[in-house]
Amino acid sequence: MEEEKCPKCGAPLSEITETPTGRKLRRCSTGVWNTETHKTDGCDYVKWLEVEPQTLDEKCPKCGEPLILQVTRFGKKMKKCSAGGWDKEEKKATGCDYVEWINGTTEKLDEKCPKCGEPLVIFTTAAGKKMKKCSTSGWDREAKQATGCDYILWLKAEFKPQVANGEEFLPPEDIF
Ligand SMILES: [Zn+2]
Ligand SMILES: [Zn+2]
Ligand SMILES: [Zn+2]
């Protein structure tokens, strides 16, 4: 791999790491993520890498072209039509506009549930809202009711979701 230097401090960048949501990044080698303070110690430069869109074995329900799986800079996942694109000059979608956001993702936390002591998870909804919930909780589809522990803590949004800004149509080099 090509040796890349941190534009902030000139130290080499460290190996590629992958987040639980599938985003890839390289930190400055002098920066270390502190899991207690949830801040970076040392240089905080992070380079986000392009996540290769993955071609799926599914066809677009609108036009029949293959669908691709793409991850946005906020870690949200979506399926979109490979025949779709984004016209930067006209700022509008071109080709097929089929997009399907993929519902929530969960990430494990090193925190214990205050109710039952089982580990907590962070659940991110398709709209980008986050909550901490107990890993023992579930949803009984047949009975249409929650199962397991019912501890939930909604987190404040870290960003304002922008609606229809065309992000979903941008090529990855613009997203990252
Ligand atoms: Zn640095
Ligand atoms: Zn399509
Ligand atoms: Zn619990």
Side-chain angles (χ1 to χ4, degrees):
M1 189 164 35
E2 179 187 342
E3 177 92 348
E4 260 193 89
K5 297 255 192 298
C6 171
K8 274 188 154 178
C9 71
L13 296 183
S14 55
E15 296 290 294
I16 297 175
T17 48
E18 197 172 324
T19 70
T21 51
R23 296 153 77 203
K24 293 198 173 105
L25 60 99
R26 290 179 76 184
R27 286 180 194 287
C28 178
S29 57
T30 66
V32 177
W33 181 252
N34 186 325
T35 50
E36 278 171 22
T37 59
H38 285 264
K39 285 197 181 115
T40 304
D41 294 336
C43 178
D44 63 1
Y45 177 76
V46 172
K47 180 184 180 182
W48 291 99
L49 303 180
E50 178 180 325
V51 178
E52 293 280 315
Q54 202 184 319
T55 307
L56 299 171
D57 197 17
E58 272 179 75
K59 297 270 183 274
C60 172
K62 275 189 153 177
C63 71
E65 291 297 316
L67 293 181
I68 53 178
L69 181 69
Q70 204 164 21
V71 184
T72 74
R73 70 177 126 173
F74 300 122
K76 287 166 72 182
K77 292 193 173 115
M78 63 178 152
K79 290 181 194 177
K80 59 180 247 180
C81 182
S82 58
W86 180 253
D87 186 323
K88 282 188 201 175
E89 280 168 23
E90 303 266 323
K91 290 205 172 27
K92 66 178 186 191
T94 58
C96 179
D97 63 359
Y98 180 77
V99 170
E100 182 191 332
W101 289 98
I102 295 176
N103 285 328
T105 51
T106 47
E107 286 170 42
K108 278 214 171 111
L109 291 174
D110 319 320
E111 270 179 74
K112 296 268 184 276
C113 173
K115 274 192 155 177
C116 70
E118 292 297 317
L120 292 179
V121 293
I122 282 204
F123 180 75
T124 309
T125 69
K129 283 192 179 172
K130 290 188 175 190
M131 63 171 125
K132 287 184 187 179
K133 60 179 214 172
C134 187
S135 59
T136 67
S137 71
W139 182 255
D140 186 325
R141 280 168 192 265
E142 282 180 16
K144 290 204 172 50
Q145 64 182 24
T147 58
C149 174
D150 62 0
Y151 176 78
I152 285 182
L153 178 71
W154 284 95
L155 304 179
K156 275 192 200 148
E158 287 165 32
F159 63 92
K160 282 200 178 125
Q162 282 179 298
V163 181
N165 62 355
E167 183 194 66
E168 59 268 47
F169 299 107
L170 290 174
E173 63 267 27
D174 282 348
I175 290 181
F176 293 93

